[in-house]
Amino acid sequence: MTRYKAIISYDGHDFAGFQRQPHERSVQEEIEKTLIKINSGKQVVIHGAGRTDSGVHALGQVIHFDLPQKRDEEKLRFALDTQTPEDIDFISVEEVDDKFHSRYRKHSKTYEFIVDIGRPKNPMMRHYATHYPYPLDLKLMEKAIVKLEGTHDFTGFTASGTSVENKVRTITRACLEFDENCNFLIFTFSGNGFLYKQIRNMVGTLLKIGNGRMPVEQIDRILIEQDRHLAGPTAASNGLYLKEIRYEE
């Protein structure tokens, strides 16, 4: 068998998430249906570096899969790109060592979250940015977001029901930019892994701090007390993008 690594992007609006699930449309299922055609009707299972939720987008998701023979990388990329639905794009395909695993090979992820603070909102971005029409103090949010950097137990920012026991993660970068031309806030988070709905909960908390309904020090309290009830609401999924995945050599 020959193993291939692919970098893909997708518009998450019409997907129930990346992972295959019964009676719902998923990114994994659509790609596997295309690979069955390419592989003469035989099933191919893909493995993703991470699972995105319903409505979440990806600019640089990584997957891997095995095929029984070597293929020309560009021809394979072109076949996958043209035969999968239009809301999935294959950026690159390359042959890799059979020990490579998109999920378990050590890597870091970068996510972006886009918030439309325009009044009125941009209707063209309704599926691609979360609208927040309330006043915000960006300086307060900038002071708060840097508190998320470092190694912490992020239990207080995790959705209930997660099966992950170890909730310690390291965030290497947490920053906020404002695009004046679009009236967009762009939150960026890089780290060695993120818990279920962690980023959306962090963004929801930061927005509440920016709106003056929580103090900047609330971040410290959430990290110390590890209580989800102390954090803000979960931001909508339409503003979240898996931007990039980097693997260690």
Side-chain angles (χ1 to χ4, degrees):
M1 300 291 282
T2 303
R3 181 156 294 183
Y4 293 94
K5 168 191 171 187
I7 300 176
I8 64 171
S9 61
Y10 48 85
D11 176 346
H13 174 63
D14 290 329
F15 289 110
F18 174 83
Q19 188 178 17
R20 186 196 312 110
Q21 46 194 297
H23 314 301
E24 298 283 356
R25 184 172 183 255
S26 69
V27 177
Q28 181 180 12
E29 182 181 24
E30 293 291 357
I31 293 174
E32 288 178 351
K33 286 194 300 188
T34 301
L35 280 167
I36 287 174
K37 298 176 191 175
I38 293 173
N39 195 38
S40 305
K42 297 178 182 178
Q43 185 176 13
V44 179
V45 177
I46 69 169
H47 302 270
R51 302 170 182 174
T52 52
D53 295 331
S54 176
V56 176
H57 315 290
L59 302 173
Q61 171 73 286
V62 176
I63 65 171
H64 82 263
F65 54 89
D66 297 330
L67 291 175
Q69 67 281 320
K70 288 183 179 291
R71 304 285 186 110
D72 179 271
E73 294 170 339
E74 175 53 25
K75 288 182 179 178
L76 178 58
R77 186 207 67 79
F78 182 78
L80 287 164
D81 194 46
T82 54
Q83 294 185 49
T84 47
E86 290 187 345
D87 46 5
I88 300 174
D89 179 62
F90 274 77
I91 298 169
S92 66
V93 174
E94 63 175 308
E95 183 180 334
V96 291
D97 186 275
D98 60 7
K99 293 180 181 179
F100 174 83
H101 196 289
S102 58
R103 184 175 180 185
Y104 298 121
R105 174 73 60 92
K106 198 169 183 180
H107 63 273
S108 65
K109 292 186 176 78
T110 296
Y111 283 88
E112 281 188 351
F113 196 101
I114 300 176
V115 177
D116 178 3
I117 60 172
R119 284 179 279 179
K121 66 182 177 182
N122 182 346
M124 304 302 173
M125 292 293 292
R126 67 192 185 280
H127 301 312
Y128 310 106
T130 297
H131 187 231
Y132 193 86
Y134 309 107
L136 287 170
D137 186 328
L138 301 190
K139 291 183 179 179
L140 292 177
M141 298 167 74
E142 289 169 349
K143 289 180 181 178
I145 196 170
V146 295
K147 292 177 176 288
L148 295 166
E149 291 184 349
T151 301
H152 307 285
D153 186 317
F154 286 97
T155 296
F157 289 105
T158 308
S160 60
T162 179
S163 59
V164 177
E165 292 185 10
N166 182 7
K167 298 181 178 64
V168 175
R169 297 292 185 273
T170 298
I171 293 182
T172 55
R173 183 187 179 205
C175 63
L176 172 62
E177 299 175 56
F178 176 50
D179 186 332
E180 294 184 15
N181 295 322
C182 302
N183 279 319
F184 288 169
L185 294 180
I186 303 171
F187 297 84
T188 301
F189 301 96
S190 298
N192 65 355
F194 295 90
L195 301 164
Y196 182 48
K197 294 186 179 179
Q198 177 185 339
I199 292 175
R200 292 165 60 190
N201 291 336
M202 292 190 301
V203 170
T205 303
L206 290 165
L207 290 172
K208 206 163 184 178
I209 290 171
N211 190 234
R213 291 181 290 162
M214 282 183 175
V216 170
E217 294 73 26
Q218 188 79 0
I219 298 292
D220 300 312
R221 188 180 173 195
I222 296 165
L223 293 173
I224 292 169
E225 299 188 28
Q226 301 172 18
D227 184 350
R228 171 68 184 92
H229 296 96
L230 296 174
T234 305
S237 62
N238 60 335
L240 184 57
Y241 296 76
L242 173 53
K243 184 179 181 181
E244 183 182 32
I245 297 172
R246 290 192 174 188
Y247 290 89
E248 293 189 6
E249 296 297 330

